Amino acid sequence: MSIKPEIVERAEQPYAAVRGTVTLETFGEIADRLPELIGTLTHRGVELAGAPFFRYTLIDMQAQLEVEAGVPVAAVVPGEGDIVGDVLPAGRYVSLTHVGHPDELLEVTRQLREWAADEGLTWDMTDTDRGERWGCRLEILKTDPAVEPDMGKWETELAFRLA
């Protein structure tokens, strides 16, 4: 598999999300909250402004992941219940769109990180005793599973912020 990432400028983006701490095995606990989040926001009259995403804030692949399941919105929304409103930071991001099963994303991410190291790029990421703390690391879900049930055809954009 040959990857072709690009460096893009992203503007700041308001979003709403639910947060969770999961493992690779329990990731569905946060992923399965996206439809509920979107439904709640729509019911509240919030204008959605893009594809849903997962934002990884703390990663220890052997232990746990702190993740947000979110969706871009037109304007910052006040938090309510376990829904938080926040803003994705502007900046330079390495972007790569993968077409294929979500299970392939671990390997695609490994290749993306290897490519960035070869290019001398530095992530907006800090190593901590609990894992990697990311300024902004996104998996943007470009495919609606209700429209395309074949997971092998799903498009996922990886967007990792550079330092």
Side-chain angles (χ1 to χ4, degrees):
M1 180 182 339
S2 171
I3 63 169
K4 296 189 180 4
E6 58 183 353
I7 297 176
V8 298
E9 282 289 333
R10 293 177 61 99
E12 69 176 26
Q13 174 64 61
Y15 73 100
V18 290
R19 294 181 170 141
T21 301
V22 296
T23 65
L24 287 177
E25 292 74 31
T26 63
F27 194 84
E29 293 173 11
I30 193 77
D32 293 346
R33 304 242 4 237
L34 273 172
E36 168 197 344
L37 171 68
I38 292 168
T40 299
L41 293 171
T42 302
H43 180 76
R44 283 171 50 186
V46 174
E47 183 183 344
L48 305 183
F53 60 83
F54 300 116
R55 179 181 185 183
Y56 296 83
T57 55
L58 186 68
I59 301 175
D60 178 347
M61 294 304 259
Q62 272 53 66
Q64 62 187 21
L65 314 166
E66 289 179 10
V67 183
E68 297 174 345
V71 63
V73 293
V76 176
V77 296
E80 183 176 300
D82 61 352
I83 295 175
V84 297
D86 206 344
V87 177
L88 297 173
R92 291 175 54 231
Y93 286 73
V94 172
S95 172
L96 173 70
T97 298
H98 170 69
V99 178
H101 197 287
D103 287 349
E104 298 168 0
L105 289 171
L106 277 175
E107 174 59 19
V108 172
T109 298
R110 185 195 66 72
Q111 291 181 31
L112 179 65
R113 292 185 71 170
E114 195 172 272
W115 172 86
D118 290 347
E119 296 290 314
L121 299 172
T122 304
W123 301 117
D124 178 11
M125 184 268 295
T126 307
D127 282 308
T128 74
D129 58 353
R130 294 182 48 224
E132 296 174 346
R133 169 85 47 205
W134 285 79
C136 196
R137 176 172 162 169
L138 304 171
E139 286 179 5
I140 303 166
L141 312 173
K142 301 284 195 168
T143 304
D144 181 345
V147 175
E148 178 52 75
D150 181 351
M151 295 172 86
K153 295 180 180 174
W154 286 7
E155 281 187 37
T156 306
E157 178 187 353
L158 302 179
F160 298 2
R161 189 166 185 243
L162 292 167

